[in-house]
Amino acid sequence: MSEHLCTLSTGDKVYFYDKSIVIYFSGARKILSTSLYNGGYHDDYAAVYNYDAKQGAGMPCEMLADTYVEHMRLVSKRLALDPDKVSGMGTAASMENAVVETMSFKELTVTAIVTGGIETNGGRAGDPADYGTINIMLLLDCDMPEGVMARALVTCTEAKTAAIQELLEGSKYSNGIATGSGTDQTIIIANSASELYMEGAGKHSKLGELIGKTVKNAVKKALAKQSGLTPAKQHDVFRRLKRFDIKPGDMWQAYSAQDAAVVKPEYLLAAEKLAKEDIMLVYTSLYVHLLDQHLWKLISAKEMQLAGQKLLQAIAEQYNVEAEIINEGTLASMLASWQQQFNKIIAQRLHQTEKES
């Protein structure tokens, strides 16, 4: 399958073919690429691309050579590109789920072409190393010095992180909120043929503003298309607590130790319903934020415990059950008390249903 996706404001044409999205340059461009393959700063490239390396659904990424660089050179040849005049990025995300987002202000135009998925590999900076990818090709229809391109890369990265944090997607390797994924890659493209010359790409510049808005919107849309990661999907306490290793199956184990008469599917159906209810979601979200603030050393253990107790009391009052007691200001105690509170509400509901039937 091949397709002409769009023509950018620079006149550059964007094509989808051979599991890749390729931007063919129609004039002189400055390139700043984080890719291991022909990365760094260049001003003599003919194209850049993003490549889906999967061999098929559920299959590992293909490797055409012993090293990644040699592999990408072969990919470039397969795309009919000069391997010395391009930079490319590999990913396990599908090119069909790519998002093209464009914003303009007067004569200035910014376009982001993004693929991404962090459902299985999202991480927070400083987490143990692993793999995953959000790939961004960011085209800036203006000229600028090399240093400003580097600043544009920083602004782009901040916008990507903001998008993920606004979705409250958790790291898969720690208790933190994800800031990206393990092998995110970005290519910044500036139009050196443009008469518009920008000397700033930070948050106090119009270019920086457009980069931030464009990238944030594109990343959110790409995550939604690739893995269904949306605000609606995150409206679930188990999604919010997943990074603290709270899972419905484990919750069932604790529940069944107290009430062996309830079968697992009956419990799971009730738990999944309660997990999405507005009251439970909102109070639990506040409760989780207490854990984060304590881990970030913004509040003390005692402050976390006292505020957490008030939130459990509020949940208990809303659901007309007795409030659980948090015995100490530790992460383990806070999580255990929340789980007991949740299961107490489930027990009340299941027993009420049993009486009515």
Side-chain angles (χ1 to χ4, degrees), residues 159-175:
K160 174 195 68 178
T161 297
I164 297 167
Q165 295 201 319
E166 287 180 12
L167 289 166
L168 288 177
E169 178 63 6
S171 168
K172 306 305 180 290
Y173 315 107
S174 74
N175 297 140

Side-chain angles (χ1 to χ4, degrees), residues 20 63 80 107 165 217 238 289 319:
S20 303
M63 279 296 288
E107 67 272 29
Q165 295 201 319
N217 290 344
F238 290 123
H289 193 47
Y319 287 98

Side-chain angles (χ1 to χ4, degrees), residues 54-59:
K54 294 192 308 297
Q55 298 182 70
M59 298 176 67

